[in-house]
Amino acid sequence: MSDTAHDHHDHRPTGWKRWVYSTNHKDIGTMYLALAMVAAIVGAAASVVIRMELHQPGIQFITDFQFYNVLVTAHGFIMVFFVVMPALIGGFGNWFIPLMVGTPDMAFPRMNNLSFWLVAAGLVLLVIAGLIDGGPGTGWTVYPPLANADYHPGMAVDFGILALHLAGASSILGAINFITTIINMRAPGMTFHRMPLFIWAMLLTAILLLLAIPVLAGALTMLLTDRNFGTAFFSPEGGGDPILWQHLFWFFGHPEVYIMIIPAFGVISEIVSTFSKKPIFGYLGMAYAMAAIGVVGFVVWAHHMYTVGFNVETRAYFTLATMVIAVPTGVKIFSWLATMWGGSIKFDTPMLYAMGFIFLFVVGGVTGVTLANAGSDMAFHDTYFVVAHFHYVLSIAAIFAMYAGFFYWIGKMSGKQYPEGLARLQFWITFVGVNVLFFPQHFAGMAGMPRRIPDYPDAYAGWNMISSYGAYITAIGGLLFFVVLWKTLTSKETVAANQWGEGASTLEWTVASPAPFHTHEDTPKVGSQPAE
Amino acid sequence: MTDTKDKMKLQTSDMREPKTRNGVTAVILFGLVVGMTGLAFASDPLYRIFCQVTGYGGTTKVAEAVPDSQIIDQVVTVRFDANVNKSLAWRFKPVQNTIKVRLGEPAIAFYEATNVSDKAIVGTATFNVAPFKAGEYFSKIECFCFTEQVLKPGQTVQMPVTFFVDPAILKDRNSADVKTITLSYTFFASDDQSEALKLKTLQVISKGQGSTLSSREVIPKG
């Protein structure tokens, strides 16, 4: 359906300008996904090197412990800021928000481009930080006094701070873009209570970003001035307090983990609904559960700080508030299960990953409830029990959601069919790998193994060896993913506009595959979408 | 005529404001970002004020003068603890280990510091009381910790702290059972060593009692 008004849209950029100057949400989404994949290789490589060092007691090959700490730091920063966030928010968010709400592009396409290149620049700065002046060996939490100038002279931490400033600016601009698009540009008929749950997830994530990232930015600036301009926000010598950093960092840091997982919840909802051929059970409960998780997530930050010397009343409050989050989360888990119950389920790879997510997120979530207790956290703080917990909910659950989204949407993005058999093999290898990798870490932590150490007493040897083998299996799964990606992109087999059939009820399945450069140029009719 | 005039008026005023709903939304959201950033920077003074007002973490109070409330015949033992950050070359200890005081009764205690290095150093102390819940009721009238201390090489000084325990502690259900309060100080080498540098040219090594040669008011920390 083209008329003279649309003719100017046939003129589209080519060559390098198509990408560097892009104002197209699909191209920008693709670039985010590509960046996430590149960063994932670096971040995963760092973790494999760490696991190789921890494979046996004694020092294997990393004699420079500052370098070990830099690997740990780089692994954390890269995975959080340059893999999970760009993939789920920048990648899937940019690709599918306009498609799902029925609008041609984001509210601010040029600012969208800026957001992407800010992240790319941030990644470059972070890599540079790792290579100069010994690198930042602080952990992703960057606590002073270790992060201060006394113990990290040189520019490594400063480059890291600037890298995070760029990534944070990118997220803030992106969040403004997402919120404006979702609030203002939905197709007529798509009321808030008719939007896909993926859109709810992205809206809530963007609001969390707007409220949390500025606090990180402020704290990072204070650390930068402490290190370079003579202020003393965090040093007692000048009247400051290192605990203030922890409060500020975790006030950002806890919402940050919900920023990483809520988009994953959105992806899983779409996939479970599609592959059960049923609308999600309890739409309103799902949407407002995510909102509740987001809100409560802002008042629990000190559960990362139970050992700093709070009085017992403070610890009691944060224990209670943290455990409260399990309630809306439970609503979501049961709603996904209720969606599958009585559905006509197809166990294609996206659904395998989605079901894996549901099960493994519960495993990670229950260890979170254990850690929420200030009492037991006295024993668990800074042990591998914590490492096991957050890797289950992030490195397993969030990554499974990324894989699930990839397999679900790659047909729409590329027009090509992925090889189902190979993809299922990739799922099972990954599933086995991540569990062998992270489950034993619970036992190491309960036995008292501290985190962020390059060597450990012989007593922890058994669990560490098993865990390291799990890392190698997971790495094979990761390599196999790239094989699947290659085979998909070079495949001759194309897919239909709606490859998943009647279960796929959101608007992206009404456009061709691959989605044309410009979509929804004529506003779609949103009528009787079953929502509630 | 008026039509075009009105249109032009509209255009000039539109220059300032966003023209679209999207623009308005973006401006509001950006305002939110600015607000949260401001809150982050405000956290530094807010954090200090919060501790001062609530006594959180054992933060003590500052009193202007000796209290005019009654002295109550209930005795509290005050213990004195002294610590030195390892980058400060001072010896630091309390002159007395404990003092028994009645509630509301002002008392004076001394700490002794010796500069065991060969250059003048400015020191600054952080402090609190334990149990933390006693912080609200522990008031200092005069304290060496209110100012920075400069010690010449080898110099020893005795530093006083005048304080009282507020009788209102008896009215607080949570704190009424407190029988022992420990006042703890940790001395750090101050970030600002300018006073010490001024003394650098003096070759005096003195061991004397009494107050320090120079001190400067800093914002009271408790």
Side-chain angles (χ1 to χ4, degrees):
Chain A
M1 232 200 298
S2 72
D3 53 29
T4 46
H6 292 310
D7 275 348
H8 63 284
H9 282 172
D10 293 342
H11 167 250
R12 70 166 77 164
T14 51
W16 63 272
K17 286 190 185 175
R18 173 180 169 185
W19 302 101
V20 178
Y21 295 166
S22 176
T23 54
N24 180 283
H25 72 100
K26 303 181 189 72
D27 280 355
I28 291 175
T30 301
M31 288 196 285
Y32 267 108
L33 288 171
L35 181 142
M37 289 186 206
V38 167
I41 294 173
V42 178
S47 65
V48 169
V49 171
I50 291 170
R51 282 308 331 162
M52 282 166 63
E53 177 54 55
L54 292 175
H55 191 122
Q56 286 178 328
I59 295 301
Q60 264 49 260
F61 56 93
I62 299 184
T63 45
D64 177 1
F65 296 149
Q66 172 70 11
F67 175 64
Y68 180 85
N69 290 342
V70 170
L71 277 180
V72 169
T73 308
H75 169 69
F77 275 136
I78 290 176
M79 290 309 199
V80 169
F81 291 100
F82 299 100
V83 176
V84 176
M85 288 173 76
L88 287 174
I89 303 172
F92 295 146
N94 269 306
W95 252 101
F96 295 105
I97 291 176
L99 280 175
M100 281 189 189
V101 304
T103 193
D105 210 304
M106 286 287 181
F108 306 110
R110 291 172 295 185
M111 194 166 76
N112 209 5
N113 180 275
L114 177 61
S115 279
F116 172 73
W117 288 108
L118 281 173
V119 169
L123 180 58
V124 169
L125 274 188
L126 188 69
V127 169
I128 293 176
L131 297 172
I132 60 172
D133 289 341
T138 58
W140 86 293
T141 49
V142 207
Y143 283 7
L146 179 60
N148 245 324
D150 279 348
Y151 296 104
H152 267 91
M155 312 226 3
V157 172
D158 302 300
F159 265 80
I161 289 175
L162 293 172
L164 292 182
H165 268 141
L166 292 183
S170 160
S171 289
I172 288 177
L173 296 178
I176 293 178
N177 224 334
F178 282 21
I179 295 174
T180 310
T181 307
I182 294 172
I183 293 184
N184 289 347
M185 294 168 71
R186 279 162 293 126
M190 186 179 288
T191 57
F192 275 113
H193 288 173
R194 277 220 174 111
M195 332 192 277
L197 283 171
F198 179 73
I199 301 297
W200 269 108
M202 301 311 304
L203 176 63
L204 293 164
T205 302
I207 295 174
L208 293 188
L209 278 168
L210 271 196
L211 299 175
I213 299 261
V215 177
L216 175 69
L220 286 172
T221 308
M222 289 188 231
L223 184 63
L224 192 66
T225 58
D226 264 22
R227 284 175 51 83
N228 296 292
F229 301 116
T231 57
F233 290 105
F234 309 122
S235 37
E237 294 88 333
D241 189 349
I243 304 300
L244 178 62
W245 166 270
Q246 294 191 30
H247 280 294
L248 289 172
F249 179 84
W250 287 116
F251 189 85
F252 148 78
H254 195 77
E256 168 64 20
V257 310
Y258 294 124
I259 285 166
M260 287 192 279
I261 205 66
I262 288 179
F265 288 162
V267 172
I268 298 302
S269 282
E270 298 303 330
I271 291 175
V272 169
S273 168
T274 297
F275 287 87
S276 308
K277 294 190 168 54
K278 278 175 74 190
I280 283 283
F281 178 94
Y283 171 93
L284 279 183
M286 288 298 246
Y288 288 102
M290 286 191 283
I293 291 169
V295 167
V296 180
F298 265 100
V299 293
V300 298
W301 75 91
H303 66 227
H304 300 272
M305 296 167 62
Y306 280 143
T307 57
V308 303
F310 292 139
N311 59 20
V312 69
E313 291 89 356
T314 304
R315 282 177 276 151
Y317 161 73
F318 281 106
T319 297
L320 174 65
T322 306
M323 293 211 284
V324 161
I325 298 191
V327 174
T329 311
V331 166
K332 296 192 72 65
I333 300 290
F334 287 120
S335 294
W336 284 318
L337 296 179
T339 306
M340 293 166 61
W341 184 273
S344 168
I345 302 186
K346 200 142 187 308
F347 294 97
D348 287 335
T349 308
M351 188 57 166
L352 290 177
Y353 270 113
M355 291 167 65
F357 173 97
I358 294 170
F359 172 53
L360 295 170
F361 186 77
V362 170
V363 173
V366 296
T367 57
V369 175
T370 313
L371 288 166
N373 285 284
S376 40
D377 188 63
M378 289 301 154
F380 288 134
H381 180 73
D382 266 350
T383 63
Y384 259 82
F385 193 85
V386 180
V387 176
H389 159 68
F390 66 71
H391 279 102
Y392 256 84
V393 288
L394 287 175
S395 175
I396 303 185
I399 301 292
F400 273 35
M402 286 160 54
Y403 281 139
F406 171 86
F407 288 112
Y408 184 52
W409 279 316
I410 186 63
K412 179 58 57 187
M413 295 190 280
S414 66
K416 307 282 176 80
Q417 172 65 49
Y418 68 84
E420 180 66 45
L422 199 57
R424 285 190 194 181
L425 176 66
Q426 193 266 342
F427 166 76
W428 285 110
I429 292 178
T430 304
F431 182 87
V432 168
V434 294
N435 280 288
V436 173
L437 168 51
F438 292 116
F439 206 76
Q441 294 185 356
H442 293 106
F443 303 125
M446 291 181 85
M449 179 180 173
R451 52 186 290 203
R452 293 173 168 164
I453 51 174
D455 188 20
Y456 48 81
D458 289 353
Y460 304 124
W463 301 127
N464 273 288
M465 178 170 288
I466 300 174
S467 174
S468 291
Y469 280 128
Y472 311 144
I473 300 172
T474 309
I476 293 174
L479 290 172
L480 195 51
F481 169 76
F482 285 103
V483 173
V484 170
L485 175 65
W486 175 255
K487 279 189 170 303
T488 305
L489 295 177
T490 54
S491 161
K492 302 274 190 304
E493 204 186 333
T494 56
V495 297
N498 182 352
Q499 71 187 107
W500 301 120
E502 65 192 87
S505 58
T506 40
L507 279 178
E508 76 269 31
W509 305 109
T510 63
V511 305
S513 289
F517 195 71
H518 291 127
T519 41
H520 294 322
E521 291 180 310
D522 300 310
T523 313
K525 298 258 183 299
V526 175
S528 54
Q529 302 272 14
E532 315 160 62
Chain B
M1 294 294 176
T2 43
D3 227 4
T4 30
K5 251 185 152 182
D6 287 336
K7 273 204 195 130
M8 280 168 63
K9 239 191 175 175
L10 225 60
Q11 274 164 3
T12 41
S13 68
D14 271 358
M15 291 299 180
R16 307 270 171 73
E17 293 140 15
K19 291 194 184 67
T20 63
R21 220 171 120 218
N22 281 355
V24 171
T25 312
V27 166
I28 295 174
L29 296 175
F30 191 67
L32 205 57
V33 171
V34 169
M36 288 307 289
T37 313
L39 268 185
F41 281 104
S43 70
D44 185 51
L46 283 179
Y47 189 62
R48 193 167 291 131
I49 293 172
F50 174 80
C51 290
Q52 282 170 358
V53 167
T54 62
Y56 201 78
T59 308
T60 53
K61 296 231 177 287
V62 178
E64 293 297 309
V66 172
D68 48 2
S69 58
Q70 265 195 318
I71 296 178
I72 300 193
D73 225 6
Q74 184 141 328
V75 168
V76 167
T77 304
V78 180
R79 309 177 61 90
F80 300 94
D81 173 54
N83 306 282
V84 176
N85 177 265
K86 69 176 198 275
S87 57
L88 175 63
W90 286 11
R91 268 205 307 269
F92 178 54
K93 65 181 178 70
V95 169
Q96 68 293 300
N97 278 323
T98 61
I99 281 182
K100 281 190 179 355
V101 295
R102 292 180 291 172
L103 295 180
E105 178 179 37
I108 186 165
F110 288 90
Y111 278 79
E112 187 177 282
T114 306
N115 182 346
V116 296
S117 77
D118 58 356
K119 50 188 201 325
I121 303 178
V122 181
T124 179
T126 60
F127 51 88
N128 72 348
V129 290
F132 291 163
K133 61 189 180 181
E136 253 188 287
Y137 302 101
F138 192 95
S139 288
K140 297 185 199 169
I141 303 166
E142 277 289 331
C143 180
F144 60 86
C145 54
F146 293 163
T147 60
E148 291 188 334
Q149 306 298 317
V150 190
L151 289 187
K152 294 189 290 194
Q155 183 181 12
T156 297
V157 293
Q158 289 215 339
M159 302 176 292
V161 53
T162 333
F163 63 90
F164 65 93
V165 181
D166 194 334
I169 198 172
L170 290 179
K171 297 208 198 81
D172 184 338
R173 209 161 48 106
N174 277 332
S175 316
D177 62 335
V178 170
K179 296 282 181 293
T180 308
I181 298 177
T182 306
L183 176 63
S184 172
Y185 289 89
T186 303
F187 252 105
F188 291 84
S190 180
D191 265 352
D192 181 1
Q193 292 291 322
S194 55
E195 292 298 314
L197 292 171
K198 284 187 200 155
L199 296 177
K200 208 177 163 187
T201 50
L202 297 174
Q203 297 289 332
V204 179
I205 297 174
S206 75
K207 277 186 172 23
Q209 295 209 350
S211 55
T212 52
L213 283 183
S214 75
S215 59
R216 199 163 10 93
E217 285 294 327
V218 296
I219 300 168
K221 298 192 201 76

